[in-house]
Amino acid sequence: MELFELNLRDAAEGVRTKKFSALELFDACFARAASCEPKLAALITPTEEEGRRGAEEIDARIARGEDVGPLGGVPVVLKDNLCTKGVRTTAASKILGDWRPPYDATVWSLLQGAGAVLLGKANMDEFAMGNTCGNSAFGPSKNPWDVTHVPGGSSGGSAAAVAAAYAPCALGSDTGGSIRQPASYCGVYGLKPTYGMVSRYGVISYGSSLDQVGPLARTVSDLQLAMAILVHYDPMDSSSVPGKSFDFTPHKMDLKGKRVALVKEFQAFTLEAPIADAMARVRRLLENAGAEILEVGLPTVARYAVSCYYALAMSEAHTNLERYDGIRYGYTVDDAVGSKEMFEAVRSAGFGSEVKSRIIAGTCLTEPTRCNEYYVAATKVRTLIAREFAKAFESADFILQPVTPLLAPKIGETDRDKMKGYESDLYTLPVNLAGLPGLSFFVEHAASGLPVGLQLIGARWSDPDLLNAGLTLEECLGSPSIARGGL
Ligand code: GLN
């Protein structure tokens, strides 16, 4: 086995027990990334120098007999909307130019504190808006199982990097599906944690009431290891919830007697055949394991979640993106005559077309004469959606549903119909509206070779249980393999 193929726990263990050095591990992973990058474009900024320096430090500490932490010397990939002190952070936008944040996102401080080293900043849809990774100012990333297909988005680079084994773990962010959907397109695991569990400090905001950071990895137990480090009350993030403690130690869950719900209204929606097959297979598996399968009704979710989400996400985005004015960050122009001309010139050239159209939509949705009819109405619908889920979780322990109605589409295929693209987030975005945890898990490969994943959703704060159920599913279904074909 090559060093880059190791999962998170084994890589950390190998460094700790001196089977190999942190530098050897980093160089093996970086060489793997370098050989795949021309085909995958999963990274915006590879960080060879920072990573090697970090690995050398870990090796020096090990030589001095120091404890290097649970991730000591393990390379990780971070989505490029997570601030890294002194390392270019772009959110895949031209408008941030060569911006180097003066501080680290809390999630990165926590991983560094646990000994992780940085392999690179991952490609994504600009400001996390999209679901193909095609909205990146740096060009699209590709699916490692078939480079003519999208890796998903917006954390497409993070998912592709883990699937192709640049690193055993990456962080993504999920506002409406951006961890879970690329995880399923690329055949890895991805967790969107309960809102308020993981700090958003230093995460470039898209929709602040929806954004949540989470890990992607090739085993569920690696997600658990990452979560044990990432979950931390952060006074720097007002949405971080204090006074809670969680145990992310892996314990396979006995599924006997667990109540797993399917959503009644979703049964009428069409799924691509391999996804429908996977739903049937996992349902049988759960039944065989003694779980009770039931139905819950989520009528408001099925009917209004997509419009509710996009109204809120665009409204929040338009305020969050006001700060990019050419004065405080990155890209600027020198020849504007006044501030208004300058803002106009910077924002017209600095933002990509999807971001601009969402800013304009958000401006309209929150404009004083329409605000009640759109933005305020959407916040009310959101409350109904959260209540609908809360009620469902009175009778169910988990909800099983698809991540997407389609397997990873061909690059460019979904660009033609924007509304269809938005609607394909139907299965992921309700989870963000209600602040719930959602696990995207690998099921199998379709005949085409593309991976098929499904989603298990839990009640708020049930993330440890959700992952333990995921462990059992992984044992029954098998762990994902590394994407190699042609890479
Ligand atoms: N596809 C959704 C959007 O474009 C979700 C993106 C995300 O989760 N960041 O808003």
Side-chain angles (χ1 to χ4, degrees), residues 150-295:
V150 306
S154 63
S155 316
S158 299
V162 171
Y166 294 14
C169 180
L171 294 188
S173 69
D174 192 312
T175 306
S178 277
I179 292 173
R180 290 160 288 154
Q181 186 254 33
S184 103
Y185 280 1
C186 292
V188 300
Y189 297 100
L191 177 76
K192 182 260 167 209
T194 295
Y195 185 81
M197 200 177 234
V198 176
S199 171
R200 293 185 302 109
Y201 178 70
V203 182
I204 295 178
S205 300
Y206 163 18
S208 310
S209 75
L210 302 153
D211 300 338
Q212 194 66 186
V213 173
L216 297 98
R218 295 187 302 270
T219 70
V220 173
S221 141
D222 283 353
L223 294 184
Q224 291 170 310
L225 176 55
M227 284 299 282
I229 294 157
L230 293 170
V231 176
H232 214 276
Y233 168 63
D234 184 6
M236 298 299 282
D237 170 9
S238 59
S239 61
S240 175
V241 177
K244 294 201 171 279
S245 67
F246 299 93
D247 181 5
F248 283 101
T249 321
H251 292 294
K252 253 172 257 155
M253 180 179 279
D254 183 359
L255 295 172
K256 194 158 189 267
K258 292 289 169 204
R259 302 160 305 166
V260 181
L262 304 173
V263 178
K264 190 163 147 244
E265 291 76 10
F266 289 169
Q267 316 292 320
F269 300 162
T270 343
L271 297 172
E272 203 172 327
I275 300 175
D277 294 347
M279 280 293 286
R281 179 175 169 205
V282 171
R283 183 192 171 138
R284 274 196 310 275
L285 184 157
L286 289 165
E287 279 168 345
N288 291 341
E292 180 197 335
I293 305 289
L294 55 123
E295 257 189 6

Side-chain angles (χ1 to χ4, degrees), residues 6-360:
L6 292 170
N7 66 34
L8 191 60
R9 281 185 198 271
D10 294 341
E13 161 91 16
V15 173
R16 204 163 38 239
T17 56
K18 301 191 199 171
K19 274 199 206 115
F20 42 81
S21 70
L23 191 60
E24 282 168 332
L25 175 64
F26 182 85
D27 285 344
C29 290
F30 197 84
R32 169 70 180 166
S35 78
C36 298
E37 268 304 89
K39 286 188 178 151
L40 297 184
L43 301 178
I44 291 177
T45 309
T47 52
E48 185 172 19
E49 213 178 290
E50 292 81 0
R52 293 196 93 225
R53 209 183 316 124
E56 278 167 353
E57 254 167 54
I58 296 286
D59 286 332
R61 286 171 55 195
I62 290 179
R64 293 198 295 269
E66 289 173 25
D67 176 6
V68 291
L71 299 186
V74 183
V76 297
V77 165
L78 300 179
K79 186 175 182 177
D80 208 21
N81 60 352
L82 304 176
C83 288
T84 41
K85 189 173 174 180
V87 176
R88 180 170 77 145
T89 299
T90 68
S93 182
K94 198 173 145 194
I95 207 156
L96 276 155
D98 196 33
W99 187 55
R100 286 158 203 269
Y103 65 102
D104 283 324
T106 297
V107 286
W108 175 225
S109 303
L110 290 168
L111 290 185
Q112 273 178 293
V117 298
L118 187 62
L119 186 125
K121 303 292 298 286
N123 206 351
M124 55 182 281
D125 287 299
E126 185 177 3
F127 285 105
M129 297 177 194
N131 52 19
T132 60
C133 220
N135 295 339
S136 168
F138 296 83
S141 177
K142 321 277 168 62
N143 190 309
W145 292 99
D146 181 340
V147 294
T148 63
H149 289 248
V150 306
S154 63
S155 316
S158 299
V162 171
Y166 294 14
C169 180
L171 294 188
S173 69
D174 192 312
T175 306
S178 277
I179 292 173
R180 290 160 288 154
Q181 186 254 33
S184 103
Y185 280 1
C186 292
V188 300
Y189 297 100
L191 177 76
K192 182 260 167 209
T194 295
Y195 185 81
M197 200 177 234
V198 176
S199 171
R200 293 185 302 109
Y201 178 70
V203 182
I204 295 178
S205 300
Y206 163 18
S208 310
S209 75
L210 302 153
D211 300 338
Q212 194 66 186
V213 173
L216 297 98
R218 295 187 302 270
T219 70
V220 173
S221 141
D222 283 353
L223 294 184
Q224 291 170 310
L225 176 55
M227 284 299 282
I229 294 157
L230 293 170
V231 176
H232 214 276
Y233 168 63
D234 184 6
M236 298 299 282
D237 170 9
S238 59
S239 61
S240 175
V241 177
K244 294 201 171 279
S245 67
F246 299 93
D247 181 5
F248 283 101
T249 321
H251 292 294
K252 253 172 257 155
M253 180 179 279
D254 183 359
L255 295 172
K256 194 158 189 267
K258 292 289 169 204
R259 302 160 305 166
V260 181
L262 304 173
V263 178
K264 190 163 147 244
E265 291 76 10
F266 289 169
Q267 316 292 320
F269 300 162
T270 343
L271 297 172
E272 203 172 327
I275 300 175
D277 294 347
M279 280 293 286
R281 179 175 169 205
V282 171
R283 183 192 171 138
R284 274 196 310 275
L285 184 157
L286 289 165
E287 279 168 345
N288 291 341
E292 180 197 335
I293 305 289
L294 55 123
E295 257 189 6
V296 290
L298 296 176
T300 316
V301 171
R303 184 127 189 235
Y304 298 112
V306 174
S307 33
C308 172
Y309 167 84
Y310 277 98
L312 293 176
M314 289 174 183
S315 299
E316 292 186 23
H318 110 93
T319 356
N320 275 328
L321 272 54
E322 265 174 11
R323 73 192 69 170
Y324 304 104
D325 51 15
I327 296 172
R328 286 168 289 185
Y329 302 95
Y331 179 76
T332 194
V333 292
D334 298 326
D335 51 355
V337 284
S339 50
K340 187 171 174 291
E341 287 75 13
M342 178 176 167
F343 298 154
E344 215 172 279
V346 165
R347 290 167 70 86
S348 302
F351 287 132
S353 70
E354 179 64 23
V355 172
K356 275 191 268 201
S357 67
R358 292 194 191 199
I359 292 174
I360 293 167

Side-chain angles (χ1 to χ4, degrees), residues 381-449:
V381 174
R382 180 183 194 168
T383 304
L384 297 179
I385 286 173
R387 283 194 199 141
E388 218 162 77
F389 272 111
K391 185 146 187 297
F393 284 116
E394 283 170 15
S395 56
D397 297 304
F398 303 109
I399 295 175
L400 172 71
Q401 66 186 45
V403 181
T404 62
L406 303 170
L407 298 183
K410 276 215 180 280
I411 292 174
E413 193 177 308
T414 51
D415 297 351
R416 286 184 297 267
D417 191 338
K418 213 179 205 174
M419 283 313 290
K420 251 205 172 125
Y422 292 169
E423 279 162 13
S424 71
D425 294 338
L426 165 71
Y427 298 112
T428 48
L429 53 80
V431 172
N432 303 70
L433 287 169
L436 307 172
L439 172 69
S440 171
F441 62 94
F442 168 74
V443 178
E444 58 198 4
H445 285 271
S448 63

